[in-house]
Amino acid sequence: MKHLIDLASWNRREHFAFFSAFEEPFFGLVATVDCTHALAEAKRLGIPFFLYYLHAALQAVNQVEAFRYRIDDGQVYCYDRIHASATIGRPDHTFAFSFIEHHDELADFLPTANAEIAAVQASKGLRLNETTSRPDVIHFSAVPWVRFTGLSHARSFSHPDSCPKISVGQTYVEGGATLMPVSINVHHGLADGYHVGLFLAAFQELLGRHIIRL
């Protein structure tokens, strides 16, 4: 479900008009999160760390209304629920796009996520289709080989796009804690640094949450 935002009364009306006129309306930043507890929990549960933090990222995204805004034909809509179009790697070092449905509970999220990952790894090509290119998603990727401090994305300026792009990098240990870089890129007509901060705070809280039972 999605709901139309009344641009006439929206407090971001001028921000939206201003940044939507840019050739590149996206801005981004890189921050670090503490994933010590999350990594330990994933190991305890016997599940891939990727799926653990992807689920946490989706939960955080859905808590921030600005991350659920999308632009369609010049209008702004707010979606009730956001899923993930994540890049999934294959053994031959190619990747493809996926559609991973968000579920509030990790136990419900894992079966559909694992099934989609298996489908990607059994396929060829990019898997560009109506499902993987849905607007009610975040574009998510993992770069576990690199402890990055900056990240940019390939973008076609002629193609309308308003989906947030979230990437995570290689974990590393510092001061006894396991840390992970996170890159967030969002359309500036829809969100500001404040909203990115809300996402990061929610993501960090979820990564450090109490023990999960499956």
Side-chain angles (χ1 to χ4, degrees):
M1 292 288 293
K2 63 181 181 180
H3 308 280
L4 180 66
I5 300 296
D6 181 8
L7 295 181
S9 61
W10 193 28
N11 64 350
R12 293 191 57 84
R13 180 183 70 245
E14 291 187 22
H15 304 71
F16 173 67
F18 180 72
F19 288 109
S20 292
F22 283 30
E23 289 81 4
E24 171 56 295
F26 276 72
F27 80 96
L29 57 80
V30 175
T32 303
V33 294
D34 185 332
C35 57
T36 309
H37 174 81
L39 185 59
E41 272 295 280
K43 289 180 178 178
R44 184 186 68 83
L45 295 169
I47 64 174
F49 184 43
F50 170 77
L51 290 181
Y52 191 96
Y53 64 64
L54 176 58
H55 180 254
L58 281 173
Q59 285 185 295
V61 163
N62 279 280
Q63 290 180 27
V64 181
E65 183 174 307
F67 276 46
R68 294 187 278 114
Y69 292 150
R70 298 293 183 273
I71 303 169
D72 183 4
D73 197 23
Q75 298 295 318
V76 179
Y77 294 86
C78 182
Y79 281 84
D80 291 343
R81 182 169 289 255
I82 298 298
H83 311 283
S85 178
T87 56
I88 303 298
R90 300 189 181 100
D92 66 357
H93 304 300
T94 63
F95 72 87
F97 301 111
S98 67
F99 174 77
I100 298 179
E101 187 176 359
H102 174 54
H103 295 271
D104 292 329
E105 298 299 327
L106 184 61
D108 298 323
F109 172 79
L110 291 172
T112 55
N114 280 318
E116 180 69 352
I117 290 171
V120 169
Q121 293 179 337
S123 69
K124 295 181 180 180
L126 283 173
R127 294 179 85 242
L128 281 170
N129 54 53
E130 292 183 356
T131 302
T132 60
S133 60
R134 286 169 53 154
D136 57 339
V137 296
I138 54 168
H139 296 156
F140 194 92
S141 57
V143 191
W145 316 277
V146 182
R147 177 179 161 181
F148 61 69
T149 56
L151 187 146
S152 62
H153 292 273
R155 293 228 311 123
S156 171
F157 294 155
S158 63
H159 177 71
D161 182 16
S162 55
C163 296
K165 302 168 196 322
I166 301 173
S167 302
V168 301
Q170 184 183 59
T171 61
Y172 60 97
V173 177
E174 186 174 282
T178 302
L179 307 178
M180 182 171 68
V182 183
S183 167
I184 305 101
N185 283 254
V186 294
H187 192 296
H188 213 344
L190 305 178
D192 301 322
Y194 169 75
H195 305 102
V196 175
L198 290 178
F199 164 77
L200 283 167
F203 189 36
Q204 180 62 83
E205 180 183 0
L206 289 159
L207 292 176
R209 184 167 284 185
H210 58 273
I211 290 174
I212 294 174
R213 289 178 172 80
L214 293 180

